[in-house]
């Protein structure tokens, strides 16, 4: 179903969001962007007040530096003088002050554990904590610290065997339901790393292999018995005496949140225009990587910009919207497609836009807490998307229309500024014509006078009009994604309209 009449397609010059008008969670003063911070760190200015000396910091000393004008914070055992960073912190000064004079590791990890503070704050380093910090380094927690006695029995185990030409590493996950999407494997040179997700835990096998292997690897899953096999091809047909040397994270089973991000370099193979400011980037995974990005998950991209490591999250999409929902589509496993809006003053997206075909970029393993079962038990699915907040909806639409037969209606309510900003409009309109259960409604906040569709911004009255159960008691799921204030307001309005928290899912990092 399509509820927007066909339009002439005027091409008003669309606006791009610019820093001055942008709505960051806490607006930063002009001259306080990440790029300005990077410039300041490169200026040679003494940012710690210690003239380049590194000191050992006691707990008492750390606690003394708890004011805005003199603020030290410990992250993963290192102490930083964040006083000069205050005005540059995107979360605002008050957020940073919550950790003033203390070990802020947990707080930082809760908010943005993917941000590399070690790189960002390296010029603010005061020294190391004299005593062991309370928070342990990422990915290094010993098993018994994380797991209770009963959970210990659930720890996967691994073994290996060989033939003349192959090495097989077998992981017994002790899970009845296991699938390829929960397994990520990378072999970089002789370093093999396999990660298996078991609910909110992660099990890692990490070995420096005894001998060289060929580039391509295979992953076999015996789903019902929870057995995962990683099959490597030997480079030389010799007998291996051992698998190799265990590395730092080998045989660890810890909370996913405590595991550091793992990156592999992917090749940019194409870059195509989606709208005037948004492009579809196709990245090719290395042959020696097995990785699936599930519905609702995002990855982190990492680039070194002016000598500083910068990391941003992006949500993979499909190469196009499938119109024939007969079987799960476009999951070749070798490519990742990202639909990215290039901001004219964006630090990361400008650097991305300058990548040439054939260049490499670091891509993390996937993250995200969306559970497909939320959709599988719903009858009406509403997707509220603003701008590139459309990206998680792409795989979600594919999944919902392909695999969830109990869904009666699937409705995308897509907020944009102008017609020119609507992502994949043609494809969405075609899908609505083809698939009876699917409806799309475009809502523009800054339309031209020719626009005959709906106009406005997210509001309680608008949501009460467009989000309606198909039956009085039908089970609904409402997914929201867009700028943070859009998402937060949306949730509040929906709650005011009587929807329960279980009926609402927000996509966040
Ligand atoms: P910055 O240098 O950080 O900002 C420059 C200016 O751009 C700002 O002043 C502001 O005016 C504007 N701007 C920057 N970020 C935002 C923002 N988030 N909202 C509104 N205005 C902004 N983006 C995509 O294009 N595609 C995706 O698939 C995608 N997936 C994401 C998934 C998650 C979980 C999250 C949290 C974000 C996602 N983003 C996505 C946003 C992305 O991570 C970056 O924030 C964005 O690319 C801007 O980065 P930048 O460094 O170029 O901009
Ligand atoms: P945009 O073009 O600036 O805005 C899209 C629509 O949302 C416009 O109608 C706009 O109206 C409205 N809007 C913007 N800010 C709003 C606010 N504060 N309150 C209410 N409505 C608002 O959007 P964009 O530049 O593409 O940004 C998309 C956002 O989605 C980014 O913030 C990105 O980080 C986020 N995102 C998140 C994920 C995730 O998984 N969490 C994935 C992808 C994208 P106006 O005319 O009022 O501006």
């Amino acid at each position: 179903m399509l509820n927007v009449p066909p339009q002439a397609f005027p091409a008003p010059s669309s606006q791009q969001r610019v820093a001055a008008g942008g709505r960051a969670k806490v607006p930063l003063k002009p001259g306080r962007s990440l790029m300005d911070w990077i410039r300041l760190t490169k200026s040679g200015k003494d940012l710690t007040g210690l003239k380049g000396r590194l000191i050992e910091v006691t707990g008492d000393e750390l606690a003394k530096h708890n004011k805005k004008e003199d603020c030290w914070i410990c992250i993963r055992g290192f102490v930083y003088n964040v006083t000069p960073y205050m005005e540059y912190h995107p979360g605002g000064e008050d957020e940073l002050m919550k950790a003033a004079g203390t070990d802020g590791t947990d707080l930082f990890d809760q908010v943005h554990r993917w941000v590399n503070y070690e790189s960002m704050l390296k010029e603010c380093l005061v020294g190391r904590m004299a005593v062991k910090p309370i928070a342990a380094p990422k990915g290094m927690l010993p098993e018994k610290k994380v797991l209770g006695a009963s959970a210990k029995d659930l720890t996967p185990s691994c073994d290996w065997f060989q033939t003349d030409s192959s090495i097989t590493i077998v992981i017994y996950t002790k899970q009845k339901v296991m699938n390829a999407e929960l397994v990520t494997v990378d072999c970089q040179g002789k370093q093999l790393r396999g990660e298996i997700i078991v609910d909110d835990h992660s099990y890692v096998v990490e070995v420096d292999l005894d001998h060289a292997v060929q580039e391509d690897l295979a992953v076999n899953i015996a789903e019902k018995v929870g057995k995962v096999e990683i099959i490597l091809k030997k480079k030389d047909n010799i007998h291996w005496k051992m698998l190799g040397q265990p590395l730092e994270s080998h045989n660890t089973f810890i909370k996913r949140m405590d595991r550091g991000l793992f990156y592999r370099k992917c090749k940019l193979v194409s870059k195509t225009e989606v709208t005037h400011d948004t492009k579809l980037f196709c990245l090719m995974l290395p042959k020696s990587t097995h990785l699936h990005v599930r519905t609702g998950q995002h990855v982190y991209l990492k680039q070194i910009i002016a000598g500083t490591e910068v990391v941003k999250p992006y949500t993979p999409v499909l190469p196009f919207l499938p119109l024939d929902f007969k079987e799960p589509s476009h999951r070749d496993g070798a490519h990742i497609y990202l639909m990215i809006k290039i901001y004219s003053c964006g630090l990361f997206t400008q650097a991305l836009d300058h990548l040439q075909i054939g260049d490499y970029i670091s891509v993390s393993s996937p993250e995200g807490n969306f559970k497909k079962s939320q959709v599988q038990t719903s009858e009406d699915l509403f997707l509220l998307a603003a701008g590139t907040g459309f990206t998680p909806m792409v795989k979600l639409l594919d999944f919902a229309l392909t695999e969830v037969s109990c869904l009666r209606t699937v409705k995308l309510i897509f907020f944009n500024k102008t017609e020119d900003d609507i992502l994949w409009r043609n494809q969405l309109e075609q899908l609505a014509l083809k698939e009876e259960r699917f409806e799309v409604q475009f809502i523009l906040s800054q339309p031209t006078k020719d626009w005959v569709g709906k106009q406005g911004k997210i509001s309680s009255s608008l949501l009460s009009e467009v989000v309606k159960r198909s039956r009085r008691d039908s089970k609904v799921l409402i997914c929201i994604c867009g700028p943070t204030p859009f998402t937060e307001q949306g949730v509040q309005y929906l709650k005011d309209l009587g929807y329960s928290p279980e009926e609402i899912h927000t996509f966040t990092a």
Side-chain angles (χ1 to χ4, degrees), residues 17 23 341 343 387-388 391 416 445-446 457 481-483 485 507:
R17 187 179 285 279
R23 287 175 231 186
K341 177 162 172 175
Y343 293 96
T388 55
T391 51
N416 284 283
S445 52
Q446 301 172 25
K457 291 172 193 268
C481 193
F507 290 99

Side-chain angles (χ1 to χ4, degrees), residues 169-180:
I169 296 152
V170 188
I171 299 159
Y172 303 96
T173 66
K174 302 183 184 168
Q175 297 296 306
K176 284 206 181 113
V177 187
M178 184 43 59
N179 65 64

Side-chain angles (χ1 to χ4, degrees), residues 327-346:
E327 54 188 61
S329 39
H330 311 295
R331 308 215 176 116
D332 65 6
H335 297 94
I336 290 185
Y337 293 87
L338 297 166
M339 194 186 271
I340 298 181
K341 177 162 172 175
I342 312 296
Y343 293 96
S344 58
C345 53

Side-chain angles (χ1 to χ4, degrees), residues 85-106:
Y85 181 62
M86 281 285 164
E87 292 191 340
Y88 296 82
H89 181 51
E93 298 184 354
D94 293 345
E95 207 51 41
L96 208 54
M97 283 305 292
K98 282 184 188 162
T102 67
D103 186 337
T105 310
D106 286 347

Side-chain angles (χ1 to χ4, degrees), residues 264-267 283-287 289 291 333-336:
R264 73 279 302 145
K265 289 225 151 95
C266 296
K267 192 175 176 176
L283 302 175
M284 190 166 72
L285 288 163
K287 258 186 171 180
T289 293
L291 180 153
H335 297 94
I336 290 185

Side-chain angles (χ1 to χ4, degrees), residues 433 442 509:
L433 289 174
F442 301 117

Side-chain angles (χ1 to χ4, degrees), residues 17-24 33-35 112 114 278 298-300 305 310-317 338-352 388-389 391-392 481-484 507-509:
R17 187 179 285 279
V18 289
R23 287 175 231 186
S33 71
L34 178 54
M35 195 61 220
H112 284 318
W114 38 277
T278 302
H298 51 267
V299 294
Y300 295 95
I305 301 177
V310 185
V311 174
K312 296 265 164 134
Y314 294 95
T315 312
V317 296
L338 297 166
M339 194 186 271
I340 298 181
K341 177 162 172 175
I342 312 296
Y343 293 96
S344 58
C345 53
L347 178 68
F348 201 85
T349 50
Q350 282 297 323
L352 265 182
T388 55
T391 51
C481 193
T484 307
F507 290 99
T508 49

